[in-house]
Amino acid sequence: MTAMLVEKNVPLQSCNTFHIVARAHSLVRVASEADVQTVVASSEWGPSPKFVLGGGSNIVLTGDVKPLVLKVEIKGKRLVQETAKAFVVEAGAGEDWHDFVTWTLQQGYPGLENLALIPGTVGAAPVQNIGAYGVELQDRFESLDAIDLQTGRIFTLNAAQCGFGYRDSVFKHAPQAQTAGLGLAGRALITHVRFSLPKPWKAVLGYADLEKKIAEANIAQPSALQIYQWICDIRRAKLPDPDVIGNVGSFFKNPTVTPEQRDDIIARDPKIVHYHLADGSVKLAAGWLIDACGWKGKSVGNAGVYEKQALVLVNRGGATGGEVMTLARAIQTSVYERFGIRLEPEPTVV
Ligand code: EPU
């Protein structure tokens, strides 16, 4: 059995991309399946509640973390299989997501380029089914391995078993909170994730920001590497770099409404940005709604609304989780009062 080192009173400011000051009462770094199983088998720590921490890019810490923090540091990237139809690649949950995307492209396995530069780790990517510029993780997902934190058993889940939705999966739901299927939040730790990158590769274009790049560069059939570069440029231009300004990307999900609700809103605000979905419902741009309420650039204490993208809340220096949540609630209230729409936060509030 591997030795287990429990660190006490560990500062988490550098472990969350909001850079909120908070501490973990107890923290264990896990670099392998065996490390996790050692924790589960421990008479002292096995039965206690646990919090799985990846890159901390989708959490708001509102105080010190009392459950045992399992900091996932499982590494490794490899090609598992190449078939006529796809490259299957795998990464350890503790790998940095963007580094992994970059590696796949360098190796000649295209398919993840639209998801470049998303902060966080590989293991956190399925938890909220990350997505950007027309591609969601679930479109490239093959399977993942996880460990049951109560029994130490290793199991594998396919896409259907992960229950992917828009910025959602089985890993975001507490065991009792989900009606259909099993919630796995706090119950499972993802150790490895596999992706199936289809052959022949096909570019996913069509997003306004990308179309603009194509028109500017006058390249009709861009390569995967070219798209990767454009995505990095687009994101750097409108999203704050969490290493410089603390943030968790989009703070709210884009809400979905019925065509009737949309008609009602358009009657009041003809300029509202919206997209039609295949099932007949309509997605509204939450950033536009927040912007329309005049929030861009505003602050509550040290928490603020990013100047270039109203959907992104930022830490202007020394913000507490409480300030972030007060700002978030004020935004929710004004969007509800003006448009009758309830915005749902994207990150997990801890
Ligand atoms: N808009 C405004 N004002 C703003 C912000 C946006 O008018 O302050 C308008 C834009 O002009 C645009 C529309 O709203 O017409 C949508 O904005 P944008 O293209 O920036 O995308 P988004 O809907 O705000 C979503 C994802 C992002 C993802 C981008 C690109 C969600 C919650 N967010 O943002 O994901 O990168 O599309 O695909 O779905 C994340 O989840 O953390 C994230 C960054």
Side-chain angles (χ1 to χ4, degrees):
M1 203 172 262
T2 50
M4 170 178 164
L5 175 67
V6 181
E7 300 166 50
K8 292 290 187 179
N9 221 14
V10 182
L12 294 177
Q13 190 178 10
S14 63
C15 302
N16 74 96
T17 63
F18 242 133
H19 305 311
I20 289 170
V21 175
R23 287 174 182 270
H25 285 195
S26 317
L27 180 146
V28 176
R29 294 170 199 279
V30 292
S32 66
E33 267 95 349
D35 283 354
V36 182
Q37 286 169 330
T38 301
V39 176
V40 174
S42 144
S43 54
E44 187 184 358
W45 297 103
S48 52
K50 297 175 188 69
F51 179 78
V52 179
L53 180 63
S57 62
N58 208 45
I59 55 171
V60 185
L61 295 172
T62 56
D64 290 345
V65 183
K66 292 182 194 77
L68 174 66
V69 174
L70 299 176
K71 176 94 171 65
V72 183
E73 298 183 350
I74 300 168
K75 300 285 182 174
K77 315 187 260 285
R78 66 189 180 108
L79 177 71
V80 178
Q81 197 188 12
E82 180 182 351
T83 66
K85 288 196 170 138
F87 295 105
V88 179
V89 289
E90 179 188 85
E95 289 286 348
D96 177 77
W97 172 260
H98 178 69
D99 289 349
F100 172 60
V101 171
T102 306
W103 175 84
T104 58
L105 288 160
Q106 284 167 348
Q107 303 297 308
Y109 317 140
L112 296 176
E113 56 282 350
N114 293 47
L115 301 176
L117 220 60
I118 295 180
T121 56
V122 168
V127 175
Q128 68 149 347
N129 185 24
I130 58 170
Y133 306 99
V135 178
E136 280 187 319
L137 172 125
Q138 65 174 333
D139 304 326
R140 302 284 180 269
F141 181 84
E142 207 267 336
S143 59
L144 61 77
D145 299 332
I147 299 188
D148 184 319
L149 291 175
Q150 289 180 350
T151 63
R153 193 177 59 89
I154 297 173
F155 60 97
T156 298
L157 298 183
N158 63 27
Q161 292 166 318
C162 289
F164 291 125
Y166 168 53
R167 297 296 191 276
D168 199 24
S169 76
V170 77
F171 299 99
K172 257 182 127 167
H173 295 268
Q176 68 279 13
Q178 258 213 349
T179 42
L182 248 186
L184 289 176
R187 265 296 298 268
L189 183 147
I190 296 168
T191 58
H192 293 90
V193 188
R194 284 171 294 277
F195 299 87
S196 180
L197 309 177
K199 293 200 291 190
W201 170 79
K202 252 182 67 204
V204 178
L205 307 170
Y207 249 66
D209 287 337
L210 261 181
E211 291 295 332
K212 219 194 283 169
K213 291 277 182 198
I214 292 169
E216 278 166 18
N218 198 18
I219 299 174
Q221 289 184 318
S223 66
L225 262 175
Q226 177 64 76
I227 295 170
Y228 166 89
Q229 196 53 57
W230 282 334
I231 297 284
C232 291
D233 293 346
I234 292 166
R235 291 187 72 97
R236 287 198 176 103
K238 79 158 134 192
L239 297 169
D241 176 353
D243 287 344
V244 183
I245 304 171
N247 77 91
V248 292
S250 300
F251 196 90
F252 299 101
K253 295 183 187 182
N254 284 328
T256 304
V257 297
T258 62
E260 294 73 37
Q261 288 172 300
R262 179 219 42 194
D263 292 344
D264 182 48
I265 295 168
I266 288 178
R268 280 185 271 166
D269 241 307
K271 290 202 297 293
I272 194 160
V273 177
H274 61 280
Y275 319 91
H276 295 269
L277 302 183
D279 65 0
S281 63
V282 179
K283 191 169 261 195
L284 306 178
W288 188 93
L289 298 171
I290 299 166
D291 197 0
C293 292
W295 279 103
K296 214 182 239 176
K298 294 272 168 61
S299 299
V300 165
N302 295 316
V305 180
Y306 191 53
E307 283 70 12
K308 293 184 221 166
Q309 226 295 11
L311 195 49
V312 179
L313 303 192
V314 294
N315 180 352
R316 301 209 190 276
T320 63
E323 282 174 326
V324 171
M325 294 313 296
T326 302
L327 174 60
R329 280 189 283 269
I331 291 170
Q332 284 172 312
T333 301
S334 60
V335 168
Y336 184 72
E337 284 174 355
R338 168 131 181 223
F339 298 104
I341 288 167
R342 292 188 194 282
L343 291 182
E344 195 189 324
E346 191 188 271
T348 303
V349 181
V350 184

